[in-house]
Amino acid sequence: MLLTDDLLFDYQRCDRLSFLNVYGDWRDRDRPSDFVLKLKQDSQHYRNSVLAHTDYETPRYPSGDWVAGAKATLELMRQGAERIYQGVLYAEDSQGVTLLSRPHLLIKQPGPSAFGEWHYSVMEIRFSKRPKAEHQVMVAFHTYVLAQVQEVWPHQGWVVTREKGFSAVNLAKYGRLMRGIMGQCLEMLEKRQEPEVFIARHPCGLCEWYSSCYAIAESNHHLSLLPGVTPTRYRQLQQLDVTTVEALADADPEKLAIALEAACNNQYAPEVVATQLILQAQATLGDRAIPKPGQVPIAPHLLPVSPIELYFDIEAEPELDVDFLFGVLAIDRRNLCNGTEPRQTFYPFFAETPAEEERIWNEFLSLIWSYPIAPIFHFCDYEFQTLKKLAKRYRTPAQRWRPILKRFVDIHKLATRSAIAPVENYALKSLARWLGFDWRESLASGAQCVLWYDRWLETGDRRYLEAILSYNEDDCRATYVVKDWLVNFSQTHSQPH
């Protein structure tokens, strides 16, 4: 049995991922998305930036020949190289399992080892804002293999991340955690125990096995496809033998609340969670939206139908800290004849370079003030928070932006507060697609727009710009579709006082 660092890292995120990477049919894998490829590229660029002013040596060996790589790394360690980048460590543990470790950097330290009066410690460089538990577990794993190679356990190990910088790892703590995780991973692989499918919105959407796993979950109507069914809650449901959507729809709310009490973690009332899960199953089975219990209908002033309405969506590049597109869809209901649709006009404000953010910010404000009383509908909180951020960044006078905030209406907040819909999640795409709307770019997403914007900056190819504009306009139109449905839903289920 060979246990690699990649398998152990993947196991921490998803045990099924490790299993499929060993035993799965590789013909079932998806091609890596452009966004995943970008993440890998960004990770490599970050490692390069950290090491830019550091001298190091790299073992030379044929690509993929880990035995040769381990020999080359061992020779550099015997020579006393100060730093070794992309070394390969090979060792066999007491159970006869071969361990393959490829730490980002081995750093020479004073103190005896099998090589002489020096030994090595591990440093991992991660494209993450802060060190996560799985990163520290990997430092412990690399250190564990390293200790067997150099015959001494180093006292130090580090993770380098973008915001936190250098962070020391508690090797005693994470070493214990690592050994437990390693034992579980090895047992699964040795016994070929294929883990059950469980679809989580993140990180499943980035996985190359996603389509394969999703097809299984969809064919089985797996409970993980229901909003609110977390891994912890799913385990509680299994203990009650509630393993199908039908069983959950018919579950006893009181028994379910008792079972879910530990899974609610004092954050949500178990009675509320139990009722919501049951209604979610019923909505899914009936393919219909259900009013959320205990909620009064949305008051008309909170969800206005106005002569002119604005629908607002932003595209941003987080790494550049730039909001590069403000899209506004104006719906004009004035002068309508019977049976005619409202006039729709889309206004895109696009920063062709990050330096143009201030320009499009002011152009956006000018448009908003040209409709001084129109409500501004958006989906989720990003647009609201960004307005405040940019006002501060560009020292915008308060009277030019503060009144606008009072016109903002968060459709996501109102929808999730008032309705339980037959969707897999309450993202804009899920709700709008359930209502029959679809995007012209079927695979487009906010993450894809980040990639397109980076490509636009690199190449100047206007096809990327047009793709972004198309996606953003569709986001605005999708918000309009959900809002229109929500108005009708609220009116239909309102109760006379």
Side-chain angles (χ1 to χ4, degrees):
M1 173 62 67
L2 172 66
L3 180 65
T4 70
D5 44 14
D6 284 345
L7 283 174
L8 190 63
F9 184 71
D10 289 341
Y11 182 83
Q12 295 181 80
R13 296 184 294 170
C14 172
D15 52 2
R16 185 174 173 83
L17 173 58
S18 287
F19 181 89
L20 291 174
N21 282 342
V22 175
Y23 299 116
D25 186 340
W26 283 56
R27 291 173 297 182
D28 294 336
R29 289 174 59 137
D30 302 328
R31 291 180 59 186
S33 68
D34 289 344
F35 184 69
V36 168
L37 294 175
K38 180 182 184 300
L39 284 178
K40 290 180 179 179
Q41 184 182 58
D42 289 346
S43 296
Q44 185 60 55
H45 287 165
Y46 177 65
R47 284 197 294 273
N48 292 342
S49 70
V50 171
L51 297 171
H53 303 292
T54 301
D55 293 327
Y56 57 80
E57 297 186 56
T58 303
R60 298 181 179 275
Y61 59 94
S63 177
D65 188 341
W66 305 123
V67 173
K71 289 180 180 178
T73 302
L74 187 60
E75 182 59 31
L76 289 175
M77 296 168 80
R78 285 174 176 155
Q79 294 171 8
E82 291 294 326
R83 297 175 187 83
I84 302 172
Y85 178 52
Q86 293 183 328
V88 180
L89 303 174
Y90 228 66
E92 189 171 297
D93 74 356
S94 58
Q95 305 300 315
V97 176
T98 301
L99 306 175
L100 172 62
S101 159
R102 291 156 294 186
H104 291 146
L105 200 65
L106 294 168
I107 302 175
K108 186 180 179 182
Q109 305 287 328
S113 72
F115 309 125
E117 293 304 312
W118 67 88
H119 65 275
Y120 289 87
S121 292
V122 169
M123 187 174 83
E124 283 286 279
I125 305 169
R126 292 289 179 175
F127 186 65
S128 172
K129 290 184 178 180
R130 297 175 182 82
K132 299 177 182 178
E134 56 261 38
H135 301 151
Q136 299 180 80
V137 165
M138 294 315 300
V139 171
F141 175 75
H142 295 312
T143 301
Y144 177 68
V145 181
L146 171 63
Q148 296 179 66
V149 172
Q150 66 184 10
E151 299 178 9
V152 66
W153 187 277
H155 299 294
Q156 296 171 300
W158 303 273
V159 178
V160 183
T161 52
R162 288 180 291 158
E163 288 188 0
K164 194 74 173 177
F166 287 79
S167 299
V169 175
N170 184 331
L171 292 176
K173 172 184 174 182
Y174 284 99
R176 289 191 297 270
L177 182 60
M178 178 273 299
R179 282 187 284 272
I181 294 171
M182 187 169 69
Q184 295 165 6
C185 181
L186 283 169
E187 181 180 13
M188 176 198 71
L189 294 175
E190 288 173 346
K191 294 182 178 180
R192 296 197 176 205
Q193 299 170 332
E194 182 173 353
E196 181 183 2
V197 166
F198 191 97
I199 300 296
R201 191 174 174 204
H202 182 81
C204 286
L206 299 179
C207 179
E208 294 175 19
W209 295 100
Y210 176 74
S211 294
S212 172
C213 290
Y214 183 84
I216 295 172
E218 188 177 40
S219 66
N220 296 334
H221 304 290
H222 197 272
L223 287 178
S224 63
L225 297 179
L226 293 183
V229 179
T230 63
T232 303
R233 291 174 184 172
Y234 181 60
R235 289 191 289 270
Q236 301 294 332
L237 292 172
Q238 285 178 306
Q239 291 178 10
L240 289 178
D241 199 28
V242 175
T243 57
T244 66
V245 177
E246 291 82 1
L248 181 55
D250 292 334
D252 183 311
E254 292 184 7
K255 289 182 180 179
L256 188 56
I258 293 171
L260 291 173
E261 188 167 3
C264 289
N265 208 16
N266 296 324
Q267 190 173 4
Y268 304 101
E271 298 83 5
V272 174
V273 173
T275 299
Q276 177 131 342
L277 288 179
I278 291 170
L279 290 175
Q280 188 68 62
Q282 292 173 356
T284 299
L285 284 176
D287 192 25
R288 61 188 178 90
I290 298 173
K292 209 162 189 179
Q295 296 291 334
V296 298
I298 303 172
H301 74 277
L302 296 176
L303 191 62
V305 177
S306 301
I308 296 181
E309 298 172 355
L310 304 179
Y311 293 82
F312 176 35
D313 186 69
I314 294 176
E315 305 301 335
E317 216 295 14
E319 294 305 313
L320 299 177
D321 190 23
V322 59
D323 296 283
F324 60 83
L325 173 58
F326 303 98
V328 180
L329 175 67
I331 301 295
D332 188 345
R333 290 191 172 90
R334 297 173 300 180
N335 305 318
L336 286 183
C337 299
N338 290 336
T340 60
E341 291 293 320
R343 187 174 64 178
Q344 302 184 14
T345 307
F346 180 63
Y347 300 95
F349 302 97
F350 190 87
E352 296 195 1
T353 67
E356 294 183 359
E357 182 185 65
E358 183 176 9
R359 173 186 62 77
I360 67 167
W361 161 244
N362 285 309
E363 290 176 354
F364 161 77
L365 290 177
S366 296
L367 174 76
I368 295 301
W369 281 111
S370 70
Y371 299 101
I373 61 172
I376 304 168
F377 298 98
H378 58 104
F379 200 89
C380 289
D381 199 39
Y382 185 80
E383 283 69 23
F384 185 88
Q385 297 301 332
T386 299
L387 196 78
K388 295 191 290 185
K389 178 190 75 175
L390 294 179
K392 181 178 180 180
R393 176 176 293 176
Y394 296 115
R395 299 180 180 180
T396 308
Q399 67 272 18
R400 187 163 166 75
W401 65 274
R402 281 193 182 277
I404 294 174
L405 293 179
K406 297 178 182 178
R407 295 158 54 189
F408 272 43
V409 181
D410 187 344
I411 295 300
H412 176 265
K413 184 176 182 179
L414 292 177
T416 53
R417 193 184 76 184
S418 60
I420 297 174
V423 292
E424 292 178 10
N425 58 66
Y426 287 88
L428 178 60
K429 276 191 171 63
S430 291
L431 282 169
R433 281 176 172 156
W434 170 61
L435 295 169
F437 182 86
D438 212 346
W439 277 249
R440 283 168 284 181
E441 293 277 351
S442 60
L443 298 179
S445 65
Q448 185 70 47
C449 279
V450 173
L451 178 65
W452 283 335
Y453 188 66
D454 288 343
R455 295 272 175 85
W456 156 256
L457 294 178
E458 292 168 6
T459 67
D461 188 336
R462 298 194 72 82
R463 289 178 299 177
Y464 295 119
L465 186 153
E466 295 299 330
I468 295 169
L469 293 177
S470 172
Y471 174 75
N472 181 265
E473 181 178 356
D474 284 348
D475 271 359
C476 292
R477 295 186 186 280
T479 305
Y480 169 48
V481 167
V482 176
K483 185 264 181 181
D484 202 41
W485 166 79
L486 191 57
V487 169
N488 293 328
F489 177 84
S490 185
Q491 291 173 349
T492 300
H493 293 281
S494 64
Q495 299 295 326
H497 296 285

